[in-house]
Amino acid sequence: MRALSELDELYEEIILDHYRNPRNNRELDAPDLEIEADNPFCGDEIKIQLKFEDDRAAGVSVAGRGCAISQSSASLLAELSQGRTREEMKNSVTLVRRMMRGEELSDSELDDLGDLEALRGVRKYPVRIKCALLSWVALEDMLDDYPAARQQVSER
Amino acid sequence: MRALSELDELYEEIILDHYRNPRNNRELDAPDLEIEADNPFCGDEIKIQLKFEDDRAAGVSVAGRGCAISQSSASLLAELSQGRTREEMKNSVTLVRRMMRGEELSDSELDDLGDLEALRGVRKYPVRIKCALLSWVALEDMLDDYPAARQQVSER
Amino acid sequence: MLDVQSIRQDFPILARKVNGNPLVYLDNAATTQKPRQVIRTLVDFYQQHNANVHRGVHTLSIESTDLYEEARAKVQRFINAPVPESVIWTRNTSESINLVAYTWARANLQAGDNVVTTAMEHHSNIVPWQQLTRQACAELRYIPVDDDGLLQMDAAANLIDERTRLVAATHVSNVLGSITPIHHLTRLAHSAGAVIMVDAAQSVPHMPVDVQAIDCDFLAFSAHKMLGPTGIGVLYARPELLDAMPPFMYGGDMIIEVTYEDARWNDLPYKFEAGTPNIADAIATGAAVDYLSNLGMENVQEHERQITEYALRRIREVEAVTVFGPHDASLKGGVVSFVHGNIHPHDLGTALDRMGIAIRTGHHCAMPLVRSYGVVAAARASFYIYNTKEEVDLLVDGILEVERYFAHAGAK
Amino acid sequence: MLDVQSIRQDFPILARKVNGNPLVYLDNAATTQKPRQVIRTLVDFYQQHNANVHRGVHTLSIESTDLYEEARAKVQRFINAPVPESVIWTRNTSESINLVAYTWARANLQAGDNVVTTAMEHHSNIVPWQQLTRQACAELRYIPVDDDGLLQMDAAANLIDERTRLVAATHVSNVLGSITPIHHLTRLAHSAGAVIMVDAAQSVPHMPVDVQAIDCDFLAFSAHKMLGPTGIGVLYARPELLDAMPPFMYGGDMIIEVTYEDARWNDLPYKFEAGTPNIADAIATGAAVDYLSNLGMENVQEHERQITEYALRRIREVEAVTVFGPHDASLKGGVVSFVHGNIHPHDLGTALDRMGIAIRTGHHCAMPLVRSYGVVAAARASFYIYNTKEEVDLLVDGILEVERYFAHAGAK
Ligand SMILES: Cc1ncc(COP(=O)(O)O)c(C=O)c1O
Ligand SMILES: Cc1ncc(COP(=O)(O)O)c(C=O)c1O
């Protein structure tokens, strides 16, 4: 157990909780946006759906399968995105990227990320960063380029 | 000069004599057999012509350009082949090959090769063996496979 | 049998610690470690003989050429190829297969023909044939795999028909470990008038392979999976086929004469080796072959069989684990792929790495096969001459420890 | 300037004797020797980090991947490529050129188009285009060389026309040493709407090369000619071109997803790197680049210019010698090709080798060019960072000695 205790940094309590009990993973009825993304190298798959009301995310669904990091990150994304505008969501993507690059974030930026801060430990495991980012990159693609993203989904 | 004296084994007197004064290098009028061969890697070229009378080589011409080894070997071939039958010539090819492989030849075999024994020193310079063999392999090809050889010539 | 403890002394990397623990290297199907004899050969070449080959009259060039061709002859004897020129140096198994696809297959495949491969191939023995058959309007057929991870040979007999030009099959699966009935496939191919290409990436390193006994037409493998350096592989081909094939890459060394208008190809094997070859790594491959020959390939195979048998037994003690492929070690090479019911392979791999245990996780370059098991990723432990039963114990104990970790962590 | 004496200490092979004499290695255009820093890098990799790249979660695989990509970034900076993914690892210059011929050119060349190359190319930059233009019913044109061994640029301006799709030109001739006006050729190509492929096998090792300053589309070179190991080369290409090109070889690592029916290609640069790459040699190429960068490529070039100037002066003291190519060292790389009126290059090469002097003899993989000088073979001395003027003296004294030998021998 000694060797594995170092893993606590990677698998923070909150990460494992989201992995075991993913939030908002029920499919939406008529989403406004939808994207699927995968990392075939490690077998992570994710599907994000968004429904807007008054320019804010009223419904968010994130479902997939994969490792603890990719799936908990996706679940945290769903939780965090509730009620947010496109701009606010894109801002979070930037923050998550910056955190993964090892940049120091300000207190207010950390506030904005909320529980996501728990993903900080991934930085020490560079090959796992792409697991953590999978859903965020997909979210960004979806927000940036809705029609293309939509098409990519239907092409599969 | 000290370093080069070891070369005497390769460039025997008789080799250099044949190189400087190649024998039988005048083209024949209406040869029965003719072949061209080259070793483009070192730039050796050779053309052999044969004319038979009563099944014996009555006219032999060997001309070309290249290094001392390939050209002297060709000149020795021309000299040796005069008056010989196809079978005798093919026999000499076998003897030359065997000599180059480092086999011991009997006295009567060495007799058959005559001055060609001077090429023995080439064995110590394996990359030069193909120079020494160029004309012999061509002779063999020509004797074995006259029509094909002829065609190969005209194709060039 | 192998004297594993003395073998281990030959592998400098095995003295390394990973995350504070001794390295337990169980990723041999991806690439193997290198003994000092192979490393030493590289160093000696560069310190004593290095020169370009084939065209030089100076001593270094002559020595390099001799060493390079000697290595080819060693490989020839190792796989019992009939002549040295039936051994072509390539970069790896993938290039060997592409060479055949670009040359023999492009020249011989016509619309309506088919290529038959198996459902357990590595991507390198799938994608070239997908592309080729698509271009040629030909069909690509897959021999299915049964529940035990073995080829369905009755299906094979039907799939291989008079329009089959090529059968491309692995000798040993890098995921399931299954040894395919390659003699049987060869007979089926030949009686249909087809040629057969054997992906031997996982067989030549691990068992005696005799290309004349198999009677295959093409056979490919990589040096880096058999103690040799990266960047060098082999294509064996029947010389008559090589003679009739157009060249693959064009350039220096593969020609005998070039004019501004045209070129004449060089003799075999050089016709297929354009440009300066990977001289040093070819020579070091000769040293790898020597090392394996000294051990004896029967002994290598028997050692792996014992380790694999032990691993299959022990790992199934972990209840949540499902093992893919044959459960009988005598039907397979030294590969054990598995999934754990509660732990994703990626998390398992990261956790085992903390303990110094290196396994591979993911699709193992055999996505279609892995997905056919209903998963997108699997964990794989693969063994070689330096692995011990103690290392298998460390793996299984490690898995159990990871289980406990994930059961308790986060619940603190 | 270079501290040649201390550089020589880094090259273990220079301590070697050949036929009882210290090695004088003047065959650098064929391949260069390797410093201990490069050899050490290979050893360290195999003893400390060896694993397959890209797909592993275990420490060795992560380290290998990092080292491999770090080496790519070093090459990127060395040639000032815009992004790392514009640097593709290949086996050698020849493969780099074939890659472009099989992918970009096959997709873009149509009947009636033409490819323009030069009369002073290496076979590797001739034969692929001969084959390609023949298949496509396109034309292959050669920019002629003038009596000083320089490209006739007025002819070039006429040959490159609106049907030109590709200009394929060497940066430095491996026979004449001539430096071609590559910026000029690039402008001609681009204003005709063509792309340009630069054979930089003899330039990248010897002078500063900046792909963005040249503004070329493709550029190829080999590590073994620049202190690196055999078996690894580079293709630089503009990323937009690479993106649009179909892959070359198919298999593992170059895909992102494979089903039984189809495959999706991986991102750049991996799309062009099928199978296990030559990991160790790529990493050692990084060490070679470090070594050269530390010296400074301007200094390397200046050193070679001085040696070449000296060699041109001294060798012309031998009356029977004719030197090919520019006689002005500032117009050429460190290559001096020549013939001797009375001694065939092959005999000269064998004789110099007795004195430990390694030169190349033959057609230098540029048969059409060599033959245009009315000979079928030439001798070539080529220099690098560890060569000295004393070695040039040994060469010239050696030639004179061989002259005396052949004048007297046989006449005894
Ligand atoms: C100008 C030039 N181009 C291409 C090549 C081919 O290089 P490689 O044999 O490494 O493929 C060489 C070297 O022989 C060369 O000098
Ligand atoms: C069965 C099989 N075929 C082909 C390959 C490809 O080998 P390489 O990556 O050396 O080209 C591998 C190894 O990854 C393999 O296991």
Side-chain angles (χ1 to χ4, degrees), chain C residues 275-276, chain D residues 29 92-94 122 124 170 172 174 199 201-202 222 224-225:
Chain C
T276 304
Chain D
N92 51 27
T93 305
S94 304
H122 187 279
S124 293
T170 195
V172 173
N174 67 314
D199 176 351
Q202 299 293 348
S222 301
H224 71 91
K225 294 186 198 280

Side-chain angles (χ1 to χ4, degrees), chain C residues 29-30 91-95 97 120-125 170-175 199-202 221-225 364-365 380, chain D residues 52 55 252-253 274-277:
Chain C
R91 179 173 32 248
N92 50 29
T93 305
S94 303
E95 189 188 6
I97 295 171
M120 57 163 103
E121 297 303 316
H122 187 279
H123 294 160
S124 292
N125 206 22
T170 195
H171 196 180
V172 172
S173 160
N174 66 315
V175 178
D199 176 351
Q202 299 294 348
F221 56 98
S222 300
H224 71 92
K225 293 185 198 280
H364 311 299
C365 284
R380 179 183 73 189
Chain D
N52 214 323
R55 295 178 305 250
D253 280 318
T276 303

Side-chain angles (χ1 to χ4, degrees), chain A residues 1-14 16-17 19-20 38-45 65-69 125 127-128 130-131, chain C residues 19 21 342-348 350-352 354-355 361-363 367 371 374-377 398 401-412:
Chain A
M1 216 50 115
R2 201 168 16 89
L4 291 187
S5 61
E6 298 161 33
L7 279 179
D8 292 351
E9 242 185 310
L10 178 62
Y11 298 110
E12 286 217 27
E13 214 165 309
I14 208 157
L16 290 176
D17 181 42
Y19 180 46
R20 297 199 185 105
D38 61 355
N39 176 349
F41 287 116
C42 46
D44 290 335
E45 297 175 346
R65 53 180 184 165
C67 68
I69 303 302
Y125 294 80
V127 282
R128 304 302 298 275
K130 58 178 188 300
C131 306
Chain C
N19 294 317
N21 297 295
N342 311 316
I343 308 168
H344 187 274
H346 221 157
D347 296 313
L348 182 64
T350 295
L352 288 173
R354 298 306 315 170
M355 306 182 229
T361 64
H363 54 60
M367 261 188 219
R371 287 191 175 164
V375 298
V376 274
E401 206 161 309
V402 178
E403 262 186 6
R404 282 192 296 272
Y405 174 81
F406 279 108
H408 296 289
K412 279 173 293 200

Side-chain angles (χ1 to χ4, degrees), chain B residues 1 3-4 6-8 10-11 13 16 19-20 38 40-45 65-69 125 128 131, chain D residues 21 342 344 346-347 350-351 354-355 361-363 367 374-377 401-402 404-410 412:
Chain B
M1 219 46 122
L4 291 187
E6 296 161 34
L7 279 178
D8 293 352
L10 178 62
Y11 298 111
E13 214 166 310
L16 290 176
Y19 180 46
R20 297 197 185 105
D38 61 356
F41 287 116
C42 47
D44 291 336
E45 297 174 347
R65 52 180 185 165
C67 68
I69 304 302
Y125 294 80
R128 305 301 298 273
C131 307
Chain D
N21 297 295
N342 311 315
H344 187 275
H346 221 156
D347 295 314
T350 295
R354 297 308 314 171
M355 305 183 229
T361 64
H363 54 61
M367 261 187 218
V375 299
V376 272
E401 208 164 307
V402 179
R404 284 191 296 273
Y405 175 82
F406 278 107
H408 296 290
K412 281 171 292 201

Side-chain angles (χ1 to χ4, degrees), chain A residues 84 86-96 112-113:
Chain A
R84 293 206 164 175
R86 289 185 195 211
E87 280 321 304
E88 285 165 352
M89 283 187 267
K90 285 175 76 170
N91 191 40
S92 319
V93 177
T94 309
L95 290 181
V96 175
D112 188 84
L113 288 185

